[in-house]
Amino acid sequence: MSTRQFGARVQRNEDDRLIRGKGRYVDDIPLEGALHGVFARSNVAHAKITRLDVSRAAALPGVLKVYTHEDLGSLDMKMPLLIPHPCITHGRTQYPLARDEVFYVGQAIAFVVAVDRYVAEDAALLIDVEYETLPVEIDLRRAAEPGAPLVHADVPGNIAANLVQESGDVASAFAKADHITSITVHCERSTAAPMECLATAARWDEVSGELTVWDGTQAPIGLRGALASLFDLDEHAVRVIAPDVGGGFGPKIHFPYANEVLVPLAAREFGRPVKWIEDRSENFVHMTHERLQIHDIELAATRDGIVLGLRDRFLHDTGAFIPYGIAVAQVASCQIAGPYRIPNILVEFSCVYTPTVPVTPYRGCGRPQANFAIERAMDQLADELGLDRFEIRRRNFIQPEEFPYTRPNLIFADGLPVTHDSGEYEQALRALMDALDVDAFKADQQAALEQGRYLGLGLSFYVEGTGLGPYEGGHVRVHPITGKVFVNTGLTTQGQGHATVFAQIVSDQLGVAVEDVIVVEGDTGVYDWGVGTFASRAAVVSGSAVHKAAVLARKQLIDAAANMLEANPDDIELSDGRAFVAGSGVDGVTLAEIATASNPLRYAFNKAAERATQFAPAARSDGPPLAEGAHPGIEATDYYAPPHATWAYGVHGAIVEVDPMTYGIKIHRYVCVHDCGNMINPMIVEGQIAGGVAQGMGGAFYEKLEYDEDGALRNASFMDFLIPYATEIPHVEMIHQETPSPLNPLGIKGVGEAGTIPVAQVIASAIEDALRPLEIAPIRKVPLSPSLLHSYVTEAGLRK
Amino acid sequence: MTETTEFEPNALVRINVEVNGRAVSEEVSTRLLLSDFLRHQLRLTGTHVGCEHGVCGACTVHIDGTPARSCLTLAVQVDGCSIRTVEGLANADGSLHPVQQAFKECHALQCGFCTPGFMMAVAGLLDERDDLRTAEDDSIREDIAGNVCRCTGYMNIVSAVRRAAELTNEKG
Ligand code: FES
Ligand code: FES
């Protein structure tokens, strides 16, 4: 028997290409004679366009055309609101190119098509725009107040949507409580900053009339649908390919961006391929943002620290438009109670328009904010009740025997009430306490303090609803010529290692080497049933679908091999790329031979095919070559639709040292205990977590998009917007716990976003603990700059 | 006094460079970036562009043996130079350079976009430091702080640097 690949630290199938410089990202696709597009963008936040003159730009040699909204014909329409929800009373989406009004700095106004990018950029500078600027309010709180300048004249109060959800009876819980604590927390606006910016290339094939679009997207099937609809084409005439994609982290799930409309349009008009490659500065003002929320959270508890009720009201900044609906806010609202039993929850949010880049999910999708809110509140509650921070959490955990644990009427993004499926929360907390040796730390902390050094310990417990439906598909086929296995899903990968983990799953069923499983996804020309890569769902949903398809293919292989070898199917074993009778010592047949024999074709292309003819037929049928209902070859497709989300969780802790003069922070240890169910490949899981933690560190310390009061983004470059380098990220110690999900055949939960979620709270909690002797006021905001920390310390002084 | 001439952005100049050991003679426009020259004129698309501001290091190549940002260099500036890109990292027989081998073994890449630039920077570092095998994390982190990776959180890249040093040592 070959060893089980599921659970093994298998090296990646995708690496060889990538380390040799043979990756294929959109801008690497060789397209002979391609034209290049560049957008001209608004440099004011909110204004009427009083004059738009592109004549100087259009006259520049090398320029083929400058599109404005007037050139778009039927495409001059509002882009879809992708995920509608009844609570969106004032949904607004943008036009591909601004009409007579702009709503944020960066909004596309015109699209230049020229012979190369250099000329196109020259031309974009020659576009003359005049504006009549309108008043703006950038501050989220003030934008939601009566009398604030409106982003959309017909949206009163700048409120796009408002949702109230109540689980249990919150008023009575608060009435019964011994103690109520409340805190207001604030997470700043950030950006995913994948290393590859957005990119689109398109070509219309003159012969077939088909449109091919290469796009750095997380949702090629969705984009294909949007393009078929916008360009009025049959689906088969549009092929969207997400080739190698240089990181996604959320914003690439959104579509269609203006480029995804303009590039195909220009390619059609000029009968030549057209490319648009976003540059970094543009990425900051164009690709969607996330994170800005302000939560007012209250907990009602007994004097023993049992939380009876939770009330959270929050504002969610959706930017100038709401193309992705309430997804981010809804996800935040559904994880607000974390791992705690809290039987009574009232959560209300408003999605507020501000004249800024629109907001869609970025790794974590509202969970980091919700985690910061509940965990800050738990720390404060512990403090006020004189309880230990670990102990108060322990007292409130949902216990193993309480699963599945449902929060009635708290409806998640899949339209179903929140139901935690499984977990060992207390065991995870205990593992963290042991790893950090909490008691020894307390002594160290005391000793350090005596030398004037400030050490602190922080923690954060998170839960993450992952693996959302509705469904994904998996397709498995054995290539008759090579005997390799070809696997497809409707997803895309931006570095998560799908070509390896799906291969591991198939390898276990079909007995082939992992490197002989070829995974191709992100190409609607190859496979086109599915949803997309988001919400830590790929391994869970597609992984399960691939597994189910592989189980079917396995049965086909065994049945065919049994016929060929004239044996009993129960005796057939699959291993090392062959099927044979267990214990017979006979070679049996290769997968290529079985696949060849399963296809009633006349030609023997190779040795395997010649050999296949020596065996009995693969199918037992006295009738036609293919029996009724049979299909040629070894091939299977299956689908997986989860009953509801599966809940991963974990707890991170850190020991930090704070310099009381400079507020410089040194992270001495960072420990992460996590449980994402059964792990397909621990090496890849660890990579996901390490990367997630680094993005979380960015959010905790550095990453804040700074809009000035006029709505200009002041730090729209890597020089000014700080993302962590290696020197900013600590070594992360990881402890794996595996509680299988009962919801899917492999017991998997998602892990893609896990690392990012708890980091801000871990750091806030640790710094607060370190500076307790200075009586620091509660930390309520991230990112935590030294000056912000200083203000918390002086605030405490002022209170005295 | 030197004579000033009108800037001619699209003027063409012939440059002679050696790229991955191959002599290349090409006409380039005076404002063409080295990164664009490599990627679009020579079709060596392994060198990536992450910021075009000299901040992220994705575009790192070797110019005359030293790592440099190809997005901050004009093609005309490398006339007469020898350039090495990620495509020139592996040996002629296709076997991997220690840095490539180490990145694969240590899972030091996810999306792979930063990887060519990172590997070129680390290859340069291996030439410069012979104590990397035993170096502390912090000192390795300092040395690779010219490149951004948004996927890996750097941990495995730090291990890959050490592993690459080990492999270099075994070979040499
Ligand atoms: S692309 Fe050259 S440093 Fe970022
Ligand atoms: S591997 Fe994706 S940016 Fe480094």
Side-chain angles (χ1 to χ4, degrees):
Chain A
M1 277 296 282
S2 22
T3 44
R4 190 158 187 244
Q5 296 299 330
F6 189 106
R9 291 177 178 269
V10 177
Q11 290 193 5
R12 300 203 319 168
N13 278 347
E14 41 274 86
D15 286 351
D16 193 69
R17 235 161 24 81
L18 298 175
I19 54 181
R20 290 179 189 274
K22 299 220 174 85
R24 275 278 176 261
Y25 304 84
V26 172
D27 196 25
D28 304 341
I29 310 282
L31 291 170
E32 210 49 61
L35 300 170
H36 213 106
V38 162
F39 283 97
R41 300 185 177 280
S42 170
N43 54 17
V44 296
H46 193 190
K48 297 275 181 213
I49 298 176
T50 52
R51 190 170 84 94
L52 175 58
D53 182 355
V54 300
S55 55
R56 286 198 304 144
L60 191 76
V63 173
L64 282 90
K65 181 158 179 162
V66 181
Y67 290 89
T68 70
H69 81 92
E70 287 176 350
D71 304 301
L72 299 187
S74 64
L75 295 174
D76 184 22
M77 61 183 282
K78 281 188 181 154
M79 293 294 98
L81 199 165
L82 288 174
I83 309 178
H85 189 283
C87 81
I88 306 174
T89 51
H90 296 82
R92 296 291 177 272
T93 58
Q94 58 189 325
Y95 293 86
L97 295 175
R99 293 176 124 197
D100 47 4
E101 191 172 357
V102 287
F103 298 88
Y104 61 94
V105 168
Q107 187 172 357
I109 294 175
F111 184 63
V112 180
V113 179
V115 291
D116 69 32
R117 182 172 154 200
Y118 290 69
V119 175
E121 285 191 3
D122 289 345
L125 295 174
L126 298 175
I127 292 172
D128 299 304
V129 199
E130 281 169 24
Y131 301 102
E132 182 190 311
T133 56
L134 296 165
V136 296
E137 180 56 69
I138 292 295
D139 182 83
L140 173 58
R141 189 79 88 180
R142 286 200 297 268
E145 275 166 11
L150 296 180
V151 176
H152 303 281
D154 58 351
V155 178
N158 290 320
I159 303 298
N162 190 85
L163 185 67
V164 186
Q165 299 202 76
E166 181 166 13
S167 185
D169 176 359
V170 173
S172 14
F174 273 73
K176 276 197 298 233
D178 300 322
H179 186 83
I180 293 171
T181 195
S182 65
I183 186 168
T184 297
V185 305
H186 191 140
C187 296
E188 287 290 0
R189 179 180 272 249
S190 186
T191 181
M195 287 309 294
E196 185 196 22
C197 298
L198 299 181
T200 306
R203 180 174 66 196
W204 289 76
D205 188 290
E206 254 185 85
V207 181
S208 66
E210 284 172 12
L211 165 66
T212 304
V213 177
W214 293 267
D215 194 75
T217 180
Q218 295 173 226
I221 299 172
L223 178 59
R224 196 266 311 262
L227 292 175
S229 143
L230 289 167
F231 286 91
D232 196 17
L233 295 163
D234 292 318
E235 279 95 328
H236 77 272
V238 186
R239 179 176 180 187
V240 176
I241 302 170
D244 288 323
V245 178
F249 316 119
K252 295 181 184 179
I253 189 73
H254 170 56
F255 64 87
Y257 283 98
N259 42 290
E260 290 164 335
V261 177
L262 269 297
V263 171
L265 177 69
R268 180 173 68 182
E269 178 160 349
F270 294 101
R272 283 169 70 175
V274 176
K275 249 186 195 187
W276 168 85
I277 308 298
E278 187 181 52
D279 75 20
R280 183 57 63 185
S281 319
E282 188 178 21
N283 179 265
F284 274 98
V285 296
H286 168 236
M287 191 185 73
T288 50
H289 296 167
E290 210 227 278
R291 289 289 194 264
L292 178 47
Q293 287 182 354
I294 303 173
H295 288 250
D296 292 307
I297 185 171
E298 294 169 277
L299 300 179
T302 67
R303 61 179 58 80
D304 299 330
I306 305 297
V307 184
L308 305 172
L310 178 163
R311 210 158 27 205
D312 181 38
R313 295 203 169 82
F314 70 94
L315 299 176
H316 168 76
D317 178 4
T318 188
F321 297 97
I322 191 160
Y324 212 71
I326 59 166
V328 177
Q330 189 178 17
V331 169
S333 69
C334 287
Q335 352 260 311
I336 193 67
Y340 310 118
R341 209 179 279 113
I342 314 183
N344 305 292
I345 300 168
L346 178 83
V347 56
E348 171 174 7
F349 62 78
S350 297
C351 297
V352 182
Y353 288 120
T354 58
T356 56
V357 172
V359 166
T360 70
Y362 158 39
R363 198 178 204 169
C365 184
R367 299 177 186 89
Q369 300 93 314
N371 178 264
F372 195 61
I374 177 69
E375 289 293 89
R376 290 281 63 217
M378 288 301 274
D379 273 4
Q380 181 168 294
L381 182 65
D383 202 41
E384 290 171 359
L385 295 175
L387 289 169
D388 175 75
R389 288 174 295 165
F390 287 87
E391 177 58 19
I392 196 166
R393 286 173 167 84
R394 198 190 61 76
R395 288 183 190 176
N396 285 286
F397 282 147
I398 301 167
Q399 294 301 311
E401 63 279 5
E402 290 175 280
F403 294 105
Y405 188 84
T406 300
R407 303 194 190 276
N409 303 321
L410 188 59
I411 305 301
F412 200 21
D414 54 8
L416 301 164
V418 166
T419 299
H420 297 244
D421 54 335
S422 64
E424 293 276 354
Y425 298 163
E426 194 170 329
Q427 187 185 317
L429 190 74
R430 172 64 49 201
L432 179 74
M433 293 176 81
D434 291 347
L436 289 176
D437 199 345
V438 175
D439 292 332
F441 168 75
K442 284 185 183 144
D444 293 349
Q445 186 180 35
Q446 194 48 44
L449 192 60
E450 280 156 21
Q451 302 161 10
R453 291 169 52 221
Y454 294 83
L455 295 183
L457 183 150
L459 80 155
S460 177
F461 207 110
Y462 70 91
V463 293
E464 182 195 2
T466 70
L468 292 190
Y471 82 98
E472 287 295 337
H475 172 245
V476 173
R477 167 195 280 196
V478 179
H479 279 328
I481 304 288
T482 58
K484 291 187 186 173
V485 184
F486 188 55
V487 175
N488 317 109
T489 78
L491 298 182
T492 61
T493 175
Q494 306 83 41
Q496 304 92 324
H498 293 180
T500 309
V501 293
F502 295 155
Q504 288 175 262
I505 290 172
V506 170
S507 164
D508 281 343
Q509 290 305 319
L510 304 193
V512 288
V514 172
E515 52 276 22
D516 286 337
V517 181
I518 304 160
V519 179
V520 171
E521 41 182 23
D523 181 349
T524 63
V526 175
Y527 188 81
D528 64 352
W529 290 113
V531 189
T533 306
F534 58 94
S536 305
R537 67 192 293 277
V540 181
V541 189
S542 291
S544 298
V546 166
H547 169 76
K548 289 174 72 187
V551 168
L552 294 176
R554 174 185 177 83
K555 181 165 184 331
Q556 292 173 19
L557 280 172
I558 287 179
D559 287 347
N563 286 340
M564 292 169 77
L565 299 170
E566 297 175 85
N568 185 331
D570 293 341
D571 297 333
I572 299 289
E573 231 175 70
L574 299 179
S575 181
D576 299 324
R578 317 182 73 86
F580 51 89
V581 177
S584 68
V586 180
D587 279 355
V589 282
T590 65
L591 259 49
E593 286 157 11
I594 304 172
T596 298
S598 303
N599 179 14
L601 176 83
R602 291 170 191 280
Y603 311 112
F605 295 110
N606 62 4
K607 286 267 176 283
E610 270 172 41
R611 236 175 79 78
T613 59
Q614 299 167 24
F615 295 95
R620 293 236 171 93
S621 160
D622 300 329
L626 277 182
E628 198 55 41
H631 61 78
I634 303 296
E635 181 164 26
T637 300
D638 208 345
Y639 303 89
Y640 174 71
H644 56 78
T646 173
W647 289 71
Y649 64 92
V651 56
H652 292 197
I655 292 174
V656 307
E657 179 163 356
V658 187
D659 181 326
M661 299 301 290
T662 64
Y663 297 105
I665 314 285
K666 176 116 187 79
I667 300 172
H668 289 310
R669 288 188 65 192
Y670 194 96
V671 180
C672 151
V673 182
H674 81 101
D675 187 343
C676 60
N678 294 335
M679 293 187 285
I680 310 173
N681 185 330
M683 177 189 86
I684 286 177
V685 167
E686 287 163 10
Q688 286 294 309
I689 290 174
V693 169
Q695 265 168 338
M697 287 289 167
F701 287 116
Y702 313 105
E703 294 174 13
K704 174 188 179 187
L705 291 166
E706 302 214 28
Y707 278 97
D708 68 16
E709 56 190 22
D710 297 325
L713 185 55
R714 293 208 319 236
N715 56 346
S717 88
F718 274 172
M719 271 173 282
D720 303 309
F721 177 84
L722 306 174
I723 64 176
Y725 287 84
T727 35
E728 277 73 56
I729 302 299
H731 178 78
V732 179
E733 301 165 49
M734 292 183 207
I735 298 170
H736 301 300
Q737 215 172 274
E738 291 182 272
T739 312
S741 169
L743 302 181
N744 59 69
L746 298 170
I748 308 175
K749 301 178 178 187
V751 73
E753 297 164 278
T756 309
I757 297 169
V759 184
Q761 151 68 13
V762 174
I763 298 301
S765 162
I767 293 175
E768 216 172 86
D769 186 44
L771 297 184
R772 210 174 295 272
L774 301 181
E775 295 180 26
I776 183 175
I779 292 175
R780 305 179 294 274
K781 199 169 179 177
V782 279
L784 277 163
S785 61
S787 55
L788 182 61
L789 276 180
H790 177 70
S791 76
Y792 286 130
V793 173
T794 48
E795 176 186 326
L798 292 175
R799 274 189 189 168
K800 269 194 258 174
Chain B
M1 286 239 4
T2 49
E3 242 181 274
T4 54
T5 48
E6 182 89 0
F7 171 60
E8 236 317 330
N10 294 316
L12 292 179
V13 174
R14 178 160 294 277
I15 58 169
N16 295 295
V17 286
E18 189 191 283
V19 180
N20 298 329
R22 195 167 55 89
V24 168
S25 178
E26 286 274 328
E27 299 230 295
V28 298
S29 95
T30 46
R31 63 171 173 173
L32 187 70
L33 296 175
L34 176 57
S35 50
D36 284 340
F37 171 68
L38 293 168
R39 290 180 45 75
H40 301 305
Q41 203 154 331
L42 301 186
R43 288 261 157 91
L44 292 171
T45 51
T47 299
H48 298 154
V49 167
C51 71
E52 292 175 297
H53 278 131
V55 189
C56 76
C59 64
T60 304
V61 298
H62 292 187
I63 303 177
D64 288 338
T66 308
R69 306 271 205 247
S70 63
C71 77
L72 292 185
T73 310
L74 293 169
V76 290
Q77 290 176 283
V78 299
D79 185 23
C81 296
S82 132
I83 310 287
R84 191 181 190 196
T85 70
V86 64
E87 288 91 345
L89 214 44
N91 301 310
D93 65 359
S95 60
L96 295 175
H97 183 282
V99 176
Q100 292 172 309
Q101 184 65 33
F103 266 63
K104 182 173 164 64
E105 279 179 23
C106 300
H107 185 33
L109 64 150
Q110 290 183 21
C111 78
F113 198 80
C114 73
T115 311
F118 237 115
M119 291 193 306
M120 295 314 287
V122 174
L125 189 60
L126 287 175
D127 294 339
E128 215 174 274
R129 282 184 65 173
D130 53 12
D131 63 333
L132 284 169
R133 258 181 331 142
T134 50
E136 298 277 332
D137 269 24
D138 280 355
S139 106
I140 295 180
R141 285 176 185 272
E142 287 290 338
D143 270 335
I144 58 170
N147 289 63
V148 176
C149 173
R150 194 62 165 163
C151 295
T152 62
Y154 303 104
M155 216 156 80
N156 289 347
I157 299 183
V158 173
S159 316
V161 171
R162 228 180 257 118
R163 178 70 184 135
E166 223 169 75
L167 288 167
T168 309
N169 205 267
E170 280 168 21
K171 277 190 8 181

